[in-house]
């Protein structure tokens, strides 16, 4: 079983829709969580950190459920420019090995 | 430049050839990571340095892969006797301190390796 798992999609949604992605991780000792965005043929870039209490950044909301070992990303009012692959990132604390999920592909269509 | 710089951007190697991929992290960044990303997949961890110390190399797929960061700044990923399955994008990333301290990981644009 992979350490971090995501539904690869693709998710095809119309503009203005709300879409949610989940990510599960296997190591209960994981301490830090992030969502990265990767555009086609580009490098990953940080979208947002995920805090225990949940956090929001504009149209994006991230949540963490430690008991069930999953994190989620909610995108409201989808824009065409949101089309990308969204990567879930998990870090352990012992020596900070950084693990990426396989990514979820999102296409926002007009 | 201000970002993570990787070279070469694109490399075509004949099977059996050795290749060396270079990463210049952001100045002052302590942590440096190498990842391998195949088409349609997420980045797979290869190895991690804290300054010049290679703390984790558990992701290196075989003994043909070797990474070093001798002076704690520039890093080189070397692949010996390349095979077709080595074809991928090799991403380098760096962060100022330990990532779990909340510091962002910044990626380079990657080195695209094709083995023919």
């Amino acid at each position: 079983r992979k350490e971090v798992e995501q539904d690869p999609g693709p998710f095809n949604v119309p503009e203005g829709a709300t879409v949610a992605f989940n990510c599960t991780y296997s190591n209960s000792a994981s301490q830090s969580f992030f969502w990265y965005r990767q555009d086609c043929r580009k490098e990953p870039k940080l979208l947002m950190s995920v805090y225990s209490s949940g956090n929001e950044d504009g149209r994006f909301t991230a949540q963490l459920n430690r008991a069930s070992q999953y994190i989620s990303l909610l995108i409201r009012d989808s824009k065409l420019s949101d089309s990308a692959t969204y990567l879930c990132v998990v870090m352990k604390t012992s020596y900070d090995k950084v693990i990426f999920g396989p990514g979820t592909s999102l296409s926002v269509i007009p | 430049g201000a970002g993570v710089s990787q070279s070469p951007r694109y490399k075509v190697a004949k099977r059996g050839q050795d290749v060396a991929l270079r990463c210049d992290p952001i100045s002052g960044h302590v942590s440096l990571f190498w990842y391998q990303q195949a088409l349609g997949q997420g980045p797979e961890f290869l190895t991690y340095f804290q300054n010049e110390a290679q703390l984790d190399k558990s992701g290196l797929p075989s003994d043909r892969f070797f990474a070093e960061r001798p002076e704690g700044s520039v890093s080189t990923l070397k692949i010996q006797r390349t095979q077709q399955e080595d074809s991928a994008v090799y991403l380098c990333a760096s962060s100022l301190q330990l990532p779990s301290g909340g510091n962002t990981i910044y990626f380079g644009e990657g080195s695209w390796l094709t083995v023919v």
Side-chain angles (χ1 to χ4, degrees):
Chain A
R1 181 187 171 196
K2 284 201 172 265
E3 290 191 60
V4 181
E5 297 193 72
Q6 296 180 250
D7 181 345
F11 284 64
N12 299 314
V13 303
E15 269 187 290
T18 295
V19 61
F21 308 135
N22 283 337
C23 164
T24 58
Y25 59 95
S26 60
N27 191 322
S28 59
S30 300
Q31 292 295 323
S32 301
F33 309 90
F34 304 82
W35 283 102
Y36 271 69
R37 170 193 169 129
Q38 187 172 27
D39 293 294
C40 187
R41 301 181 70 85
K42 297 288 188 181
E43 72 276 21
K45 292 184 179 178
L46 179 67
L47 177 65
M48 61 194 301
S49 303
V50 185
Y51 303 123
S52 295
S53 56
N55 50 299
E56 188 174 307
D57 182 3
R59 297 181 295 108
F60 299 85
T61 300
Q63 291 192 315
L64 167 64
N65 184 319
R66 287 190 185 273
S68 301
Q69 295 182 206
Y70 79 81
I71 68 174
S72 63
L73 177 68
L74 183 76
I75 305 176
R76 290 181 298 278
D77 188 23
S78 299
K79 311 291 185 190
L80 295 176
S81 57
D82 294 335
S83 297
T85 296
Y86 291 83
L87 299 161
C88 171
V89 177
V90 175
M91 299 181 186
K92 304 175 192 179
T93 56
S94 57
Y95 46 80
D96 294 289
K97 181 176 176 178
V98 181
I99 305 296
F100 281 77
T104 297
S105 175
L106 172 66
S107 290
V108 181
I109 52 181
Chain B
V4 178
S5 177
Q6 292 187 245
S7 62
R9 286 293 317 281
Y10 302 95
K11 175 71 177 177
V12 178
K14 291 185 178 179
R15 191 172 55 173
Q17 186 178 351
D18 297 349
V19 300
L21 308 176
R22 176 188 168 105
C23 174
D24 280 272
I26 295 172
S27 179
H29 276 198
V30 169
S31 298
L32 185 146
F33 304 83
W34 282 99
Y35 289 86
Q36 180 191 59
Q37 187 171 26
L39 192 64
Q41 303 294 318
E44 294 282 347
F45 172 81
L46 293 177
T47 187
Y48 161 58
F49 291 87
Q50 197 177 117
N51 295 308
E52 70 279 3
Q54 189 174 20
L55 298 188
D56 191 329
K57 55 181 181 179
S58 61
L60 296 177
S62 77
D63 58 8
R64 296 186 294 104
F65 286 71
F66 172 77
E68 60 182 4
R69 194 186 185 197
E71 297 178 0
S73 55
V74 171
S75 177
T76 303
L77 176 67
K78 297 179 180 178
I79 309 173
Q80 297 177 320
R81 306 182 302 282
T82 52
Q83 303 295 317
Q84 284 192 318
E85 62 263 27
D86 300 335
S87 297
V89 180
Y90 290 86
L91 293 164
C92 177
S94 71
S95 70
L96 182 59
Q97 295 176 359
L98 296 177
S100 65
N103 289 282
T104 301
I105 297 175
Y106 297 91
F107 281 85
E109 292 181 303
S111 289
W112 295 68
L113 173 65
T114 302
V115 181
V116 297

